[in-house]
Amino acid sequence: MQADPITDPRARLPSLDRLMDDPALASLIAQWGRRNVLNEARGLLAALRSQLDASSVVPPPGELITALAERLQAVPGRGPRPVWNLTGTVIHTNLGRAPLPASAIAAMAAAAGSSDVELDLESGNRGERDQHVERLVCDLTGAEAATVVNNNAAAVLLLLNTFAEGREVPVSRGELVEIGGSFRMPDIMRRAGSTLVEVGTTNRTHRADFENAITPATGMLFKVHPSNYAIAGFHQEVSIATMAEIARNHSLPLAWDLGSGSLVDLSRYGLAREPMPSDALAAGADLVSFSGDKLLGGPQAGIIVGKRHAIEALRRNPLKRALRVDKITLAALAAVLRLYGDEARLPQEIPVLRMLARPQRDIRLQAERLAGPVSDLLGPNWEVLTVALASQIGSGALPVANLDSAGLAIHWRQDRGRGAATEALQRRLRRLPIPVIGRIAQDRLLLDLRCLDDEQALLDSLQGLEAA
Ligand SMILES: *Cc1c(COP(=O)(O)O)cnc(C)c1O
């Protein structure tokens, strides 16, 4: 039976075919693909049909298309989406670590088509991928040579497999760390084919511990930055300079997994100094590995710097081929490294460094500007306060250092149901077209504003809460 369009508004909804033919849908189809748009359009029409009754007004076509765009945005599983990182953790692994500088984003787009990734334009012969960044990395670290792989975990795997496959590697018990996300140093060593020889104790390792562990089966010496944890109190580690002396005496290569590995002295920005690759090389390490997307502020990559013959040995390992980076990563990394040529401008140019260097009073003023509008959006059940907060660097850099920060604390006014209401609000924020990611502490939703650069854009995103 046909529904009567006069008495039944459901009949005034467009058919699926008519909706799909609307020229205004062309851009959604270009963005999401015809199949996805069709699925969501079908879902939207079905939802509307079940909600409408005889007295309802049928949404005009413009509103249907906006609703469809929102549905398409909100469906997971179609690729990473931008989010607002208001967690207070600047380099957040679950949120994609370092946001890239504008010049790196432009370089990625420029390299995305055909590019000279492995072509030597001078000779016309096959080129070496590493050449796009090697000179820049060497300039900044004082290294003889450098190579780049997929991430620092891959760098560690390649180092161990190249120099210690089927051999022993003594490592201090204080450095046998789990980085998170199932990266445990002993597991990686086993997969690299090396045998871990634990030396020293959790809190103290001495020179003699290493010297006594070296046998004819030893392949290399290896030092690991303890990354996301710190030992305080009665504590002793063997310095890289001492390890270099031991390695030299036994003609063994020495590598240091630095983890975050900053290319600038962070004390310039009021942070504690992290060991830099250049320090590690100057102290006698043959090889140093570090991440591209931690304190460096670039794309995901593992950078290894060191002696030329050692880097060449890494390049000859067939695993290097399996761990190599793509043209997009190389383009972004080269662009970020070029920015390091002008130290004075680093905080302006590199988002990670800008966020780390932001003074608390700046962030507090921003919180004060946002508190009113956010309170208006949330309505009278919520109290929105400007509060002092402590941000973290994240990703294993200076794990005990807190950065004085500020933000909004959002508090359900009634005692009853506060926990559930706060969690529900957090969920609503995660469901926005550009999700807002905060954290809950003591039944308050905290939005740390250290990583917020465009406050108007955040407010625009939050407008979606009214609908949610
Ligand atoms: C982060 C880290 C790694 C892993 O690096 P990814 O770039 O995440 O693969 C390895 N070692 C240390 C010490 C780290 O801090």
Side-chain angles (χ1 to χ4, degrees):
M1 204 180 76
Q2 275 295 112
D4 177 351
I6 309 286
T7 58
D8 190 345
R10 289 172 296 188
R12 296 200 299 274
L13 280 173
S15 68
L16 185 58
D17 286 344
R18 226 180 79 215
L19 183 59
M20 288 301 289
D21 286 342
D22 191 322
L25 245 62
S27 71
L28 287 181
I29 291 174
Q31 188 182 358
W32 298 104
R34 190 170 180 85
R35 189 194 182 89
N36 286 320
V37 176
L38 188 69
N39 283 341
E40 292 312 316
R42 188 179 286 124
L44 175 67
L45 291 176
L48 286 171
R49 257 184 231 113
S50 70
Q51 284 161 18
L52 293 178
D53 58 34
S55 60
S56 319
V57 180
V58 169
E63 261 176 47
L64 282 182
I65 293 186
T66 308
L68 183 56
E70 274 165 16
R71 278 180 81 100
L72 283 158
Q73 281 277 5
V75 180
R78 293 179 186 157
R81 285 196 272 158
V83 301
W84 293 104
N85 174 10
L86 305 186
T87 60
T89 301
V90 177
I91 309 172
H92 198 304
T93 298
N94 301 359
L95 302 182
R97 290 199 183 155
L100 294 178
S103 66
I105 295 168
M108 289 162 78
S114 299
S115 67
D116 64 339
V117 65
E118 274 190 19
L119 177 70
D120 183 321
L121 290 171
E122 207 50 51
S123 66
N125 296 332
R126 179 165 182 183
E128 161 62 56
R129 228 162 248 261
D130 287 337
Q131 274 168 9
H132 296 284
V133 291
E134 185 170 24
R135 189 172 301 162
L136 287 162
V137 175
C138 291
D139 261 5
L140 292 165
T141 59
E144 288 175 12
T147 186
V148 182
V149 288
N150 176 57
N151 57 12
N152 190 33
V156 170
L157 182 69
L158 184 63
L159 283 170
L160 291 164
N161 180 264
T162 304
F163 296 103
E165 189 185 20
R167 306 184 68 99
E168 294 175 355
V169 183
V171 179
S172 164
R173 286 195 169 89
E175 298 176 0
L176 290 174
V177 291
E178 174 180 307
I179 311 292
S182 78
F183 181 91
R184 287 179 156 189
M185 205 39 87
D187 296 339
I188 291 284
M189 297 184 76
R190 197 161 39 244
R191 291 294 177 149
S194 4
T195 305
L196 165 66
V197 178
E198 299 185 21
V199 304
T201 60
T202 308
N203 59 331
R204 288 172 75 83
T205 301
H206 306 277
R207 177 188 186 119
D209 294 324
F210 276 102
E211 282 174 331
N212 295 335
I214 293 173
T215 72
T218 306
M220 71 189 301
L221 294 189
F222 192 52
K223 187 171 175 62
V224 184
H225 188 292
S227 189
N228 46 8
Y229 94 121
I231 305 177
F234 191 53
H235 165 232
Q236 163 87 46
E237 68 176 308
V238 182
S239 72
I240 192 73
T242 303
M243 285 186 74
E245 216 179 291
I246 304 168
R248 250 192 330 272
N249 291 342
H250 293 85
S251 304
L252 291 168
L254 167 64
W256 191 1
D257 170 16
L258 261 194
S260 221
S262 176
L263 290 183
V264 278
D265 179 354
L266 293 177
S267 61
R268 287 165 142 261
Y269 310 122
L271 304 168
R273 192 186 156 98
E274 275 275 293
M276 289 163 53
S278 51
D279 303 334
L281 293 172
D286 298 302
L287 291 157
V288 178
S289 77
F290 53 101
S291 295
D293 55 354
K294 293 184 179 174
L295 286 172
L296 185 72
Q300 178 186 303
I303 301 163
I304 309 174
V305 294
K307 299 268 163 62
R308 175 159 306 284
H309 66 90
I311 295 290
E312 274 161 9
L314 295 172
R315 286 202 187 112
R316 283 193 300 272
N317 185 334
L319 268 184
K320 168 67 167 51
R321 169 66 177 79
L323 304 173
R324 77 182 183 193
V325 288
D326 73 327
K327 60 189 177 183
I328 309 278
T329 301
L330 283 170
L333 184 59
V336 173
L337 293 169
R338 288 196 294 267
L339 295 174
Y340 276 89
D342 187 355
E343 283 213 7
R345 291 188 50 78
L346 283 177
Q348 283 104 291
E349 300 291 343
I350 299 190
V352 160
L353 296 177
R354 178 168 62 244
M355 290 163 181
L356 292 176
R358 258 188 102 184
Q360 184 184 33
R361 74 170 175 282
D362 229 55
I363 310 171
R364 192 180 341 100
L365 289 172
Q366 193 176 38
E368 284 166 5
R369 288 192 297 272
L370 284 170
V374 171
S375 169
D376 292 346
L377 272 166
L378 291 173
N381 286 328
W382 296 96
E383 179 183 40
V384 179
L385 295 174
T386 299
V387 290
L389 294 170
S391 329
Q392 294 182 348
I393 300 180
S395 286
L398 305 173
V400 285
N402 279 330
L403 311 173
D404 289 334
S405 187
L408 302 177
I410 303 174
H411 187 239
W412 182 248
R413 286 188 194 274
Q414 293 130 53
D415 288 333
R416 268 198 46 214
R418 181 173 292 141
T422 310
E423 278 176 26
L425 177 63
Q426 189 180 38
R427 227 173 8 253
R428 278 167 70 203
L429 289 168
R430 275 203 313 272
R431 287 186 183 149
L432 288 170
I434 300 178
V436 175
I437 315 294
R439 67 181 201 270
I440 290 178
Q442 294 163 337
D443 276 351
R444 297 181 310 168
L445 182 73
L446 302 178
L447 302 179
D448 186 317
L449 302 184
R450 173 170 294 279
C451 298
L452 177 63
D453 43 15
D454 189 342
E455 58 193 70
Q456 189 51 50
L458 174 71
L459 279 177
D460 291 347
S461 287
L462 289 171
Q463 298 298 329
L465 273 180
E466 289 182 327

